[in-house]
Amino acid sequence: MGGQLLAWVGLVACGAMLVRLTIGERRRRVLDGWLQRTWFVLRRRFLLLYRWRTSSREAERQANEAINRARNGGAKVDGKWEGNVYTPESFRGPRKPH
């Protein structure tokens, strides 16, 4: 199966190169420009999709870490809770005169 697919790909590539040789120079330039633009567009879309998936995985990982920190108490800082307001010890120090 794999060998037959490779043979077909080779046959199509050879046919495309033969067609490119038989058309005139002007049409060849137009065809080459079209192929180059198509290649750049497809490559850009593939890279955007790949980077989007990577960045979404990273964002999900960071969100899960933040959720776990919030559930487990986060950073161990001395302070006091009054209702839903947390006041760290560093806020209770003497104020510096100006």
Side-chain angles (χ1 to χ4, degrees), residues 26-42:
R26 182 170 178 248
R27 287 185 181 147
R28 188 178 312 138
R29 276 189 269 128
V30 170
L31 177 65
D32 290 346
W34 180 82
L35 288 173
Q36 189 175 22
R37 285 188 304 274
T38 303
W39 170 251
F40 285 138
V41 167
L42 291 176

Side-chain angles (χ1 to χ4, degrees), residues 33-73:
W34 180 82
L35 288 173
Q36 189 175 22
R37 285 188 304 274
T38 303
W39 170 251
F40 285 138
V41 167
L42 291 176
R43 182 176 179 266
R44 178 169 167 73
R45 287 182 183 174
F46 173 76
L47 289 175
L48 286 173
L49 177 65
Y50 177 75
R51 290 177 185 151
W52 175 78
R53 291 186 65 195
T54 303
S55 63
S56 66
R57 277 191 225 122
E58 178 66 18
E60 183 179 358
R61 184 187 66 77
Q62 288 179 0
N64 287 335
E65 285 179 4
I67 291 169
N68 288 335
R69 280 194 308 271
R71 284 181 181 160
N72 298 330

